Amino acid sequence: MRGKQTVRDMFLSMVVIGMVVAVIYVFIPHDEKATPVKAVDYRVELLTARRAAPYPVLAPVGLPEKWKPTSVTYKRQDDDAWHLGYLDPDGQYVAVEQSAAPPKKYVPEVTQQATDTGKTQQIAGEAWRRWEGPKYDALVRMDGDATTVVTGTASYERLAQMAAALKPEPASASGSGAGAGTGTEKS
């Protein structure tokens, strides 16, 4: 009899705990669509890269606030590699990658093995080559000794929107909003 009472008490305890968890889940607000990725302010890294890189470092100017900067690096020791990652308004990844590395090695590396389609696309008066890959697509442009790649999981339309926003001007002249790396939280 004692064993049946213990099992019954354990079962009732589990029912009560389950009800408490259900009440908490129902009444505590939560947004399942919210992204846990925090925006970064990339102004310091941008200024550093622009002073150190042997090419004009590009960053977006005038992107709508819904574009969210999420990552930034400048690695002088890795062929002056500049990286600026974003989430576009659709939640897709878009990255600006620049480097003085040889394009044949650099572009497949930052595009996750995308390949040149042989097609070009005019964006803001510049010809960009289209690359397609199993993970990322990309728009690629070579200027002198630097290669600029706009790549990610986003559509070519979003990649082109980022490419059109890229400017070599100093951060202080970039304006405001997410496109200039202002008004965002530091991570």
Coordinates of all heavy atoms in Angstrom, one line a residue, residues 84-151:
L84 N 32.6 42.7 -42.9 CA 31.4 43.3 -42.3 C 30.2 42.5 -42.6 O 29.8 42.4 -43.7 CB 31.3 44.7 -42.8 CG 30.2 45.6 -42.2 CD1 30.4 45.7 -40.6 CD2 30.2 47.0 -42.8
G85 N 29.6 41.9 -41.5 CA 28.5 41.0 -41.7 C 27.2 41.7 -41.3 O 27.2 42.5 -40.3
Y86 N 26.1 41.4 -42.0 CA 24.8 42.0 -41.7 C 23.7 40.9 -41.8 O 23.9 39.9 -42.5 CB 24.4 43.0 -42.8 CG 24.8 44.4 -42.6 CD1 26.1 44.9 -42.8 CD2 23.9 45.4 -42.1 CE1 26.5 46.2 -42.6 CE2 24.3 46.7 -41.9 CZ 25.6 47.1 -42.1 OH 25.9 48.4 -41.9
L87 N 22.6 41.2 -41.2 CA 21.3 40.5 -41.4 C 20.5 41.5 -42.2 O 20.3 42.7 -41.9 CB 20.6 40.1 -40.2 CG 21.2 39.0 -39.4 CD1 20.3 38.7 -38.1 CD2 21.3 37.7 -40.2
D88 N 20.0 41.0 -43.4 CA 19.1 41.9 -44.2 C 17.7 42.0 -43.6 O 17.4 41.3 -42.6 CB 19.1 41.5 -45.7 CG 18.3 40.2 -46.0 OD1 17.6 39.7 -45.1 OD2 18.3 39.8 -47.1
P89 N 16.8 42.8 -44.2 CA 15.5 42.9 -43.6 C 14.7 41.6 -43.6 O 13.7 41.4 -42.8 CB 14.8 43.9 -44.5 CG 15.9 44.8 -45.0 CD 17.1 43.8 -45.2
D90 N 15.1 40.6 -44.4 CA 14.4 39.3 -44.5 C 15.1 38.3 -43.5 O 14.7 37.1 -43.5 CB 14.5 38.8 -45.9 CG 13.9 39.7 -46.9 OD1 12.8 40.3 -46.6 OD2 14.4 39.9 -48.0
G91 N 16.1 38.7 -42.7 CA 16.8 37.8 -41.8 C 17.8 37.0 -42.5 O 18.3 36.1 -41.9
Q92 N 18.2 37.3 -43.7 CA 19.3 36.6 -44.4 C 20.6 37.2 -44.2 O 20.7 38.4 -44.0 CB 18.9 36.5 -45.9 CG 17.7 35.7 -46.2 CD 17.8 34.3 -45.8 OE1 18.8 33.6 -46.1 NE2 16.8 33.8 -45.1
Y93 N 21.7 36.5 -44.3 CA 23.0 36.9 -44.1 C 23.6 37.6 -45.3 O 23.4 37.1 -46.4 CB 23.9 35.7 -43.7 CG 25.3 36.1 -43.4 CD1 25.7 36.9 -42.3 CD2 26.3 35.6 -44.2 CE1 27.0 37.2 -42.1 CE2 27.7 35.9 -44.0 CZ 28.0 36.7 -42.9 OH 29.3 37.1 -42.7
V94 N 24.2 38.7 -45.1 CA 25.0 39.4 -46.2 C 26.3 39.9 -45.6 O 26.3 40.5 -44.5 CB 24.2 40.7 -46.7 CG1 25.0 41.4 -47.8 CG2 22.8 40.2 -47.3
A95 N 27.4 39.6 -46.3 CA 28.7 40.1 -45.8 C 29.4 40.9 -46.9 O 29.3 40.5 -48.1 CB 29.5 38.9 -45.4
V96 N 30.2 41.9 -46.5 CA 31.1 42.6 -47.3 C 32.5 42.1 -47.0 O 32.9 42.1 -45.8 CB 31.0 44.1 -47.1 CG1 32.0 44.8 -47.9 CG2 29.6 44.6 -47.3
E97 N 33.2 41.6 -48.0 CA 34.5 41.0 -47.8 C 35.4 41.7 -48.7 O 35.1 41.8 -49.9 CB 34.5 39.5 -48.1 CG 33.5 38.7 -47.4 CD 33.8 38.4 -45.9 OE1 34.9 38.8 -45.4 OE2 33.0 37.8 -45.2
Q98 N 36.6 42.2 -48.2 CA 37.6 42.8 -49.1 C 38.9 42.3 -48.6 O 39.2 42.1 -47.5 CB 37.6 44.4 -48.9 CG 36.5 45.0 -49.6 CD 36.6 46.6 -49.5 OE1 36.3 47.1 -48.5 NE2 37.1 47.2 -50.6
S99 N 39.8 42.2 -49.6 CA 41.2 41.8 -49.3 C 42.1 42.1 -50.5 O 41.7 42.2 -51.6 CB 41.2 40.3 -49.0 OG 42.5 39.8 -48.8
A100 N 43.4 42.1 -50.1 CA 44.5 42.2 -51.1 C 45.0 40.8 -51.5 O 45.9 40.7 -52.3 CB 45.6 43.1 -50.6
A101 N 44.3 39.8 -51.0 CA 44.7 38.4 -51.4 C 44.4 38.1 -52.8 O 43.5 38.7 -53.4 CB 44.0 37.4 -50.5
P102 N 45.1 37.1 -53.4 CA 44.8 36.8 -54.8 C 43.4 36.3 -54.9 O 42.9 35.5 -54.2 CB 45.8 35.6 -55.1 CG 46.9 35.7 -54.1 CD 46.3 36.4 -52.9
P103 N 42.6 36.9 -55.9 CA 41.2 36.6 -56.0 C 40.9 35.1 -56.2 O 39.8 34.6 -55.8 CB 40.7 37.4 -57.3 CG 41.8 38.4 -57.5 CD 43.1 37.9 -56.9
K104 N 41.7 34.4 -57.0 CA 41.4 32.9 -57.2 C 41.3 32.1 -55.9 O 40.6 31.1 -55.9 CB 42.5 32.4 -58.2 CG 42.3 32.8 -59.6 CD 43.3 32.2 -60.5 CE 43.2 32.7 -61.9 NZ 44.1 32.1 -62.8
K105 N 42.1 32.5 -54.9 CA 42.0 31.8 -53.6 C 41.0 32.5 -52.7 O 40.2 31.8 -52.0 CB 43.4 31.9 -53.0 CG 43.5 31.4 -51.6 CD 44.8 31.7 -50.9 CE 44.7 31.5 -49.4 NZ 45.1 32.6 -48.6
Y106 N 41.0 33.8 -52.7 CA 40.1 34.5 -51.7 C 38.6 34.4 -52.0 O 37.9 34.1 -51.0 CB 40.5 36.0 -51.8 CG 39.8 36.9 -50.8 CD1 40.0 36.8 -49.4 CD2 38.9 37.8 -51.3 CE1 39.3 37.5 -48.5 CE2 38.2 38.6 -50.4 CZ 38.4 38.5 -49.0 OH 37.7 39.3 -48.1
V107 N 38.2 34.6 -53.2 CA 36.7 34.6 -53.5 C 36.1 33.2 -53.1 O 35.1 33.2 -52.4 CB 36.4 35.0 -54.9 CG1 34.9 34.9 -55.2 CG2 37.0 36.4 -55.2
P108 N 36.6 32.1 -53.6 CA 36.0 30.8 -53.2 C 36.0 30.6 -51.6 O 35.1 30.0 -51.1 CB 36.8 29.7 -53.9 CG 37.5 30.4 -55.0 CD 37.7 31.9 -54.6
E109 N 37.0 31.1 -51.0 CA 37.1 31.0 -49.5 C 36.0 31.7 -48.8 O 35.3 31.2 -48.0 CB 38.5 31.5 -49.0 CG 38.7 31.4 -47.6 CD 40.0 32.0 -47.2 OE1 41.1 31.5 -47.7 OE2 40.1 32.9 -46.4
V110 N 35.8 33.0 -49.2 CA 34.7 33.8 -48.5 C 33.3 33.6 -49.0 O 32.4 34.0 -48.3 CB 35.1 35.3 -48.5 CG1 36.3 35.6 -47.8 CG2 35.1 35.9 -49.9
T111 N 33.2 32.9 -50.1 CA 31.8 32.6 -50.6 C 31.4 31.1 -50.3 O 30.4 30.7 -50.9 CB 31.8 32.8 -52.1 OG1 32.7 32.0 -52.8 CG2 32.0 34.3 -52.5
Q112 N 32.2 30.4 -49.6 CA 31.9 29.0 -49.2 C 31.9 28.2 -50.5 O 30.9 27.4 -50.8 CB 30.6 28.9 -48.5 CG 30.6 29.7 -47.2 CD 31.5 29.2 -46.1 OE1 31.5 28.0 -45.9 NE2 32.2 30.1 -45.4
Q113 N 32.9 28.4 -51.4 CA 33.1 27.6 -52.6 C 32.1 27.9 -53.7 O 31.8 27.1 -54.6 CB 33.0 26.1 -52.3 CG 34.0 25.6 -51.2 CD 35.5 26.1 -51.5 OE1 35.9 26.0 -52.6 NE2 36.1 26.6 -50.5
A114 N 31.7 29.2 -53.8 CA 30.9 29.6 -55.0 C 31.8 29.6 -56.2 O 33.0 29.7 -56.1 CB 30.2 31.0 -54.7
T115 N 31.2 29.6 -57.4 CA 31.9 29.6 -58.6 C 31.4 30.7 -59.5 O 30.2 31.1 -59.5 CB 31.9 28.3 -59.4 OG1 30.5 28.0 -59.6 CG2 32.6 27.2 -58.6
D116 N 32.3 31.3 -60.4 CA 31.9 32.4 -61.3 C 31.0 31.8 -62.3 O 31.2 30.8 -63.0 CB 33.2 32.9 -61.9 CG 33.0 34.2 -62.7 OD1 31.9 34.5 -63.0 OD2 34.1 34.8 -63.0
T117 N 29.8 32.5 -62.5 CA 28.9 32.2 -63.5 C 29.2 32.7 -64.9 O 28.6 32.3 -65.9 CB 27.5 32.7 -63.1 OG1 27.5 34.1 -63.2 CG2 27.0 32.2 -61.8
G118 N 30.1 33.6 -65.0 CA 30.5 34.3 -66.2 C 29.5 35.5 -66.5 O 29.7 36.2 -67.5
K119 N 28.5 35.7 -65.7 CA 27.6 36.8 -65.9 C 28.0 38.0 -65.1 O 28.6 37.9 -64.0 CB 26.2 36.4 -65.4 CG 25.6 35.2 -66.2 CD 24.3 34.8 -65.6 CE 23.8 33.5 -66.3 NZ 22.5 33.0 -65.7
T120 N 27.7 39.2 -65.6 CA 28.0 40.4 -64.8 C 26.6 41.1 -64.6 O 25.6 40.9 -65.3 CB 28.9 41.4 -65.6 OG1 28.3 41.7 -66.8 CG2 30.3 40.7 -65.8
Q121 N 26.7 42.0 -63.6 CA 25.5 42.8 -63.2 C 26.0 44.2 -63.0 O 27.0 44.4 -62.2 CB 24.9 42.2 -62.0 CG 23.6 42.9 -61.5 CD 23.0 42.2 -60.3 OE1 23.2 41.0 -60.1 NE2 22.1 42.9 -59.7
Q122 N 25.3 45.2 -63.6 CA 25.7 46.6 -63.3 C 25.0 47.1 -62.1 O 23.8 47.0 -61.9 CB 25.2 47.5 -64.5 CG 26.0 47.3 -65.8 CD 27.5 47.8 -65.6 OE1 27.7 48.8 -65.1 NE2 28.4 47.0 -66.1
I123 N 25.8 47.6 -61.2 CA 25.3 48.1 -59.9 C 26.0 49.5 -59.6 O 27.2 49.5 -59.6 CB 25.6 47.2 -58.7 CG1 24.9 45.8 -59.0 CG2 25.1 47.8 -57.4 CD1 25.4 44.7 -58.1
A124 N 25.2 50.5 -59.6 CA 25.7 51.9 -59.3 C 26.8 52.2 -60.3 O 27.9 52.8 -59.9 CB 26.1 52.0 -57.9
G125 N 26.7 51.8 -61.5 CA 27.6 52.2 -62.6 C 28.9 51.3 -62.6 O 29.8 51.6 -63.4
E126 N 28.9 50.3 -61.8 CA 30.0 49.3 -61.8 C 29.6 47.9 -62.2 O 28.5 47.5 -61.9 CB 30.6 49.3 -60.3 CG 31.1 50.6 -59.8 CD 32.4 51.0 -60.3 OE1 33.2 50.2 -60.9 OE2 32.7 52.2 -60.2
A127 N 30.5 47.2 -62.9 CA 30.2 45.8 -63.3 C 30.7 44.9 -62.2 O 31.8 44.9 -61.7 CB 31.0 45.5 -64.6
W128 N 29.8 44.1 -61.7 CA 30.0 43.1 -60.7 C 29.8 41.7 -61.3 O 28.8 41.5 -62.0 CB 29.1 43.2 -59.5 CG 29.3 44.5 -58.6 CD1 29.0 45.7 -59.0 CD2 29.9 44.5 -57.3 NE1 29.3 46.6 -57.9 CE2 29.9 45.9 -56.9 CE3 30.4 43.6 -56.5 CZ2 30.3 46.3 -55.7 CZ3 30.9 44.0 -55.3 CH2 30.9 45.3 -54.9
R129 N 30.7 40.8 -61.0 CA 30.5 39.4 -61.5 C 29.7 38.6 -60.5 O 29.8 38.7 -59.3 CB 31.9 38.7 -61.6 CG 32.8 39.5 -62.7 CD 33.9 38.7 -63.1 NE 33.7 37.4 -63.8 CZ 33.4 37.4 -65.1 NH1 33.4 38.4 -65.9 NH2 33.2 36.2 -65.7
R130 N 28.8 37.8 -61.1 CA 27.9 37.0 -60.3 C 28.5 35.6 -60.1 O 29.0 34.9 -61.0 CB 26.5 36.8 -61.0 CG 25.7 38.1 -61.0 CD 24.4 37.8 -61.6 NE 23.4 37.6 -60.6 CZ 22.1 37.7 -60.8 NH1 21.6 37.9 -62.0 NH2 21.3 37.5 -59.8
W131 N 28.5 35.2 -58.8 CA 29.0 33.9 -58.4 C 27.9 33.1 -57.8 O 27.1 33.7 -57.1 CB 30.2 34.0 -57.4 CG 31.5 34.5 -58.1 CD1 31.7 35.6 -58.8 CD2 32.7 33.8 -58.0 NE1 33.0 35.7 -59.2 CE2 33.7 34.6 -58.7 CE3 33.2 32.6 -57.4 CZ2 35.0 34.3 -58.8 CZ3 34.5 32.3 -57.5 CH2 35.4 33.1 -58.2
E132 N 27.8 31.8 -58.0 CA 26.8 31.0 -57.3 C 27.4 29.9 -56.6 O 28.4 29.3 -57.0 CB 25.8 30.4 -58.4 CG 24.9 31.4 -59.0 CD 23.9 30.8 -60.0 OE1 24.0 29.6 -60.2 OE2 23.2 31.6 -60.6
G133 N 26.8 29.5 -55.5 CA 27.4 28.4 -54.7 C 26.3 27.6 -53.9 O 25.2 28.0 -53.9
P134 N 26.8 26.5 -53.4 CA 25.8 25.7 -52.6 C 25.3 26.3 -51.4 O 24.2 26.1 -50.9 CB 26.6 24.4 -52.3 CG 28.1 24.8 -52.4 CD 28.1 26.0 -53.4
K135 N 26.1 27.2 -50.8 CA 25.7 27.9 -49.5 C 25.4 29.4 -49.8 O 24.4 29.9 -49.4 CB 26.7 27.7 -48.4 CG 26.3 28.2 -47.1 CD 27.2 27.8 -46.0 CE 26.7 28.3 -44.7 NZ 27.6 28.0 -43.6
Y136 N 26.4 30.1 -50.3 CA 26.3 31.5 -50.6 C 26.4 31.8 -52.1 O 27.1 31.2 -52.8 CB 27.5 32.2 -49.9 CG 27.6 32.2 -48.4 CD1 28.8 32.6 -47.8 CD2 26.5 31.9 -47.6 CE1 28.9 32.6 -46.4 CE2 26.6 31.9 -46.2 CZ 27.8 32.2 -45.6 OH 27.9 32.2 -44.3
D137 N 25.7 32.9 -52.5 CA 25.9 33.5 -53.8 C 26.7 34.7 -53.5 O 26.8 35.2 -52.4 CB 24.5 33.8 -54.4 CG 23.7 32.6 -54.8 OD1 24.4 31.5 -55.1 OD2 22.5 32.6 -54.8
A138 N 27.2 35.4 -54.6 CA 28.0 36.5 -54.4 C 28.1 37.4 -55.6 O 27.8 37.0 -56.7 CB 29.5 36.1 -54.1
L139 N 28.4 38.7 -55.3 CA 28.8 39.7 -56.3 C 30.2 40.0 -56.1 O 30.6 40.3 -54.9 CB 27.9 40.9 -56.2 CG 26.4 40.6 -56.5 CD1 25.5 41.8 -56.1 CD2 26.1 40.3 -57.9
V140 N 31.0 40.0 -57.1 CA 32.5 40.2 -57.0 C 33.0 41.3 -57.9 O 32.6 41.3 -59.1 CB 33.2 38.9 -57.3 CG1 34.7 39.1 -57.2 CG2 32.7 37.8 -56.4
R141 N 33.8 42.2 -57.4 CA 34.4 43.2 -58.2 C 35.9 43.3 -57.8 O 36.2 43.3 -56.6 CB 33.7 44.5 -57.9 CG 34.1 45.6 -58.9 CD 33.3 46.9 -58.6 NE 34.1 47.7 -57.6 CZ 33.6 48.5 -56.8 NH1 32.3 48.8 -56.8 NH2 34.3 49.2 -56.0
M142 N 36.8 43.5 -58.8 CA 38.2 43.7 -58.5 C 38.6 45.1 -58.9 O 38.2 45.6 -60.0 CB 39.0 42.6 -59.3 CG 38.9 41.3 -58.6 SD 39.4 39.9 -59.6 CE 37.8 39.4 -60.3
D143 N 39.2 45.8 -58.0 CA 39.7 47.2 -58.2 C 41.2 47.2 -57.9 O 41.6 47.1 -56.7 CB 39.0 48.2 -57.4 CG 37.6 48.4 -57.8 OD1 37.3 48.5 -59.0 OD2 36.7 48.5 -56.9
G144 N 42.0 47.3 -58.9 CA 43.5 47.3 -58.6 C 43.9 46.0 -57.9 O 43.7 44.9 -58.4
D145 N 44.5 46.2 -56.7 CA 45.0 45.1 -56.0 C 44.0 44.6 -54.9 O 44.3 43.7 -54.2 CB 46.3 45.5 -55.2 CG 47.4 45.7 -56.2 OD1 47.4 45.1 -57.3 OD2 48.4 46.5 -55.8
A146 N 42.8 45.1 -54.9 CA 41.8 44.7 -54.0 C 40.6 44.0 -54.6 O 40.2 44.3 -55.7 CB 41.3 45.9 -53.2
T147 N 40.1 43.0 -53.9 CA 38.9 42.3 -54.4 C 37.8 42.6 -53.4 O 38.0 42.5 -52.1 CB 39.2 40.8 -54.4 OG1 40.2 40.5 -55.3 CG2 37.9 40.0 -54.9
T148 N 36.6 43.0 -53.9 CA 35.5 43.2 -53.0 C 34.4 42.2 -53.3 O 34.1 41.9 -54.5 CB 34.9 44.6 -53.3 OG1 35.9 45.6 -53.0 CG2 33.7 44.9 -52.4
V149 N 33.9 41.5 -52.3 CA 32.9 40.5 -52.4 C 31.7 40.8 -51.5 O 31.9 41.1 -50.4 CB 33.5 39.1 -52.0 CG1 32.4 38.0 -52.2 CG2 34.8 38.8 -52.8
V150 N 30.5 40.8 -52.1 CA 29.3 40.9 -51.3 C 28.6 39.5 -51.5 O 28.3 39.1 -52.5 CB 28.4 42.0 -51.9 CG1 27.1 42.1 -51.1 CG2 29.1 43.4 -51.8
T151 N 28.6 38.8 -50.3 CA 28.2 37.4 -50.4 C 27.2 37.1 -49.3 O 27.0 37.9 -48.3 CB 29.4 36.5 -50.3 OG1 29.0 35.2 -50.5 CG2 30.1 36.7 -49.0

